[in-house]
């Protein structure tokens, strides 16, 4: 639960040119997981004790923070992040904040799940970042209000203890708590600004909800589906293909680089649990001159199962949602979409229902993780 690597101290003052030229970052192993704090999944910063200089909602804005050195408002420099006012002490004889002084923001995850890693990004906060941060998490069913979450009866688990951070840096923390969480409390000590918050992990859906739905998309991220691997991630992440809703622009799907060989590209998925698949959607929305030419879909049952093709290689049209009814149910725990020869798709939907085995396994995992 320590930063990997650890950045501390001020960054240099902005001296002109590319503001990211001296940005400090690293490759964090947990970023292979989905961002559970993605607005597209339904995440929200539902409260903060202070947001005098910059609004709390900026924490979850997709994409990296932007910086305009000439952008000032009535309260001062306008920053693309969450920034609180400077804390002061009790009086002239003690003008400094106390050791316990801190600001906080409450975040509702877009999908409850197990958290594998957190990035607290202080991009462009060079001399006005917090001295340290800490992160706590809790699991509360339903849609609790901020007042309910801050009540004395809510138990919070520390995921990141109070840890020094650096300015203008991606501060990454690995998390090892094997629990299902619904909300986070991000603390900055004693005050300052944070540009972005990313929370990487595995979705753990409510099995009772899925059982009530009956038929649903068993590959969807919000239902517990997950991308395990992909042949190529040059232009965009494969996880985009199982995000909620239809793609809204070209980079909201999955696109590979141009192939110059006789191979093909693919994505491998782990489904919510063992399921019976009855229908497939392959959407190429906004991929007009670069959609995949053909696609096939295969499933396997269990890690050691064999792949069986359930949709043979089929011609795809650009910027089109393709729907296929299967002649017979296909049972599996994993799926793979192959595209030929390259290009992209925006969404893959696999409609079906959990088997009795899948329902039992999902319920057991949910209970084991404290759901």
């Amino acid at each position: 639960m320590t930063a990997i690597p650890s950045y501390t101290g001020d960054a240099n003052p902005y001296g002109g040119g590319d503001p990211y030229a001296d940005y400090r970052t690293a490759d964090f192993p947990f970023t292979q997981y989905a961002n559970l704090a993605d607005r597209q999944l339904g995440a929200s910063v539902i409260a903060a004790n202070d947001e005098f200089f910059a609004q709390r909602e900026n924490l979850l804005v997709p994409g990296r923070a932007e910086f305009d050195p000439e952008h000032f408002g009535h309260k001062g420099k306008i920053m693309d992040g969450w920034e609180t006012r400077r804390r002061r002490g009790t009086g002239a004889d003690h003008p400094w904040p106390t050791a316990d002084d801190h600001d906080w923001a409450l975040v509702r995850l877009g999908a409850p799940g197990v958290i594998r890693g957190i990035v607290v990004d202080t991009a462009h906060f060079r001399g006005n970042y917090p001295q340290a941060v800490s992160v706590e998490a809790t699991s509360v069913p339903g849609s609790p209000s901020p007042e309910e979450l801050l009540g004395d009866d809510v138990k919070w688990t520390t995921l990141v203890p109070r840890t020094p951070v650096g300015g203008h840096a991606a501060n990454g923390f690995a998390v090892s708590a094997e629990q299902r969480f619904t909300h986070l409390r991000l603390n900055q000590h004693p005050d300052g600004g944070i540009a972005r918050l990313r929370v990487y992990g595995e979705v753990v859906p409510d099995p009772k909800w899925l059982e009530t739905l009956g038929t649903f998309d068993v590959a969807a991220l919000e239902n517990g589906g997950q991308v395990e691997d992909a042949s190529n991630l040059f232009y965009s992440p494969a996880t985009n293909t199982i995000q909620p809703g239809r793609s809204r622009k070209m980079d909201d799907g999955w696109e590979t680089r141009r192939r110059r060989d006789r191979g093909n590209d693919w994505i491998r998925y782990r489904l919510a649990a063992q399921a019976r698949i009855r229908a497939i959607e392959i959407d190429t929305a906004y991929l007009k001159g670069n959609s995949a030419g053909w696609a096939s879909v295969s499933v396997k049952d269990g890690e050691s199962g064999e792949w069986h093709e359930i949709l043979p290689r089929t011609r795809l049209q650009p910027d089109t949602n393709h729907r296929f009814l299967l002649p017979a149910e296909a049972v599996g725990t994993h799926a793979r979409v192959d595209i030929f020869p390259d290009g992209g798709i925006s969404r893959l939907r696999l409609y079906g229902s959990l088997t009795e085995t899948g329902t039992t396994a999902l319920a057991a995992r949910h209970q084991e993780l404290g759901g």
Side-chain angles (χ1 to χ4, degrees):
M1 292 189 297
T2 58
I4 316 172
S6 179
Y7 300 113
T8 56
D10 295 347
N12 292 325
Y14 175 64
D18 179 6
Y20 274 101
D22 59 343
Y23 176 66
R24 296 176 287 179
T25 188
D27 291 328
F28 302 116
F30 48 73
T31 57
Q32 64 179 295
Y33 296 100
N35 177 20
L36 303 184
D38 192 336
R39 284 285 301 171
Q40 198 169 349
L41 275 177
S44 177
V45 186
I46 60 175
N49 72 307
D50 188 301
E51 47 187 329
F52 185 85
F53 286 114
Q55 297 175 330
R56 64 182 191 260
E57 287 85 358
N58 289 333
L59 284 170
L60 306 187
V61 170
R64 66 182 190 174
E66 301 297 329
F67 180 72
D68 182 351
E70 304 299 326
H71 196 189
F72 286 83
H74 295 293
K75 294 182 179 180
K77 182 73 183 72
I78 296 177
M79 297 293 289
D80 184 9
W82 168 50
E83 185 180 5
T84 65
R85 72 192 76 201
R86 299 187 187 216
R87 283 183 171 268
R88 298 297 187 229
T90 56
D93 58 337
H94 200 287
W96 310 279
T98 69
D100 294 330
D101 281 346
H102 68 279
D103 293 318
W104 53 263
L106 292 177
V107 177
R108 182 188 66 237
L109 298 179
V114 179
I115 298 169
R116 302 301 183 191
I118 295 172
V119 174
V120 179
D121 190 345
T122 58
H124 314 305
F125 290 95
R126 295 169 177 268
N128 51 347
Y129 60 93
Q131 182 183 33
V133 300
S134 61
V135 182
E136 303 160 279
T138 189
S139 182
V140 180
S143 304
S145 68
E147 292 75 20
E148 290 170 325
L149 288 169
L150 295 173
D152 294 336
D153 58 334
V154 174
K155 178 185 176 182
W156 291 88
T157 299
T158 299
L159 302 185
V160 179
R162 182 169 175 168
T163 305
V165 294
H168 197 44
N171 300 277
F173 305 89
V175 176
S176 58
E178 286 294 323
Q179 297 180 54
R180 178 183 185 267
F181 296 112
T182 61
H183 294 78
L184 294 187
R185 182 161 59 192
L186 171 64
N187 305 302
Q188 51 176 333
H189 308 266
D191 54 36
I194 297 170
R196 297 288 188 268
L197 175 70
R198 304 296 187 234
V199 183
Y200 298 98
E202 301 173 66
V203 176
V204 180
D206 183 346
K208 292 182 179 178
W209 174 257
L210 298 184
E211 185 178 4
T212 301
L213 290 180
T215 297
F216 59 93
D217 180 3
V218 298
L221 182 60
E222 60 188 325
N223 294 331
Q226 181 178 325
V227 169
E228 288 193 326
D229 200 4
S231 61
N232 188 273
L233 302 173
F234 189 82
Y235 285 114
S236 46
T239 301
N240 283 353
T241 61
I242 53 175
Q243 288 278 9
R246 294 199 72 196
S247 175
R248 293 167 294 181
K249 50 194 176 76
M250 190 175 74
D251 66 352
D252 192 17
W254 172 61
E255 181 189 359
T256 70
R257 72 178 77 202
R258 300 189 187 210
R259 275 190 172 268
R260 303 306 187 195
D261 58 23
R262 296 293 178 178
N264 73 283
D265 288 314
W266 50 267
I267 305 174
R268 188 176 73 244
Y269 305 88
R270 186 181 72 196
L271 306 182
Q274 188 189 63
R276 296 185 180 91
I277 302 168
R278 294 184 284 272
I280 298 172
E281 282 189 9
I282 301 176
D283 196 352
T284 58
Y286 291 97
L287 295 162
K288 300 180 179 181
N290 50 355
S291 68
W294 292 262
S296 66
V297 177
S298 304
V299 300
K300 72 173 183 176
D301 192 23
E303 293 289 347
S304 58
E306 296 184 0
W307 290 104
H308 299 282
E309 193 173 70
I310 61 174
L311 179 70
R313 193 179 304 187
T314 302
R315 187 76 168 95
L316 299 182
Q317 299 300 321
D319 197 25
T320 300
N321 192 26
H322 309 77
R323 291 179 170 176
F324 308 96
L325 296 176
L326 300 184
E329 292 181 341
V331 176
T333 57
H334 295 72
R336 190 183 73 229
V337 60
D338 286 86
I339 62 171
F340 303 87
D342 56 21
I345 61 173
S346 60
R347 297 289 187 270
L348 174 73
R349 306 296 188 205
L350 302 177
Y351 294 105
S353 55
L354 298 185
T355 64
E356 184 176 346
T357 298
T359 298
T360 300
L362 194 61
R365 175 168 167 75
H366 187 263
Q367 184 176 16
E368 177 186 348
L369 296 170

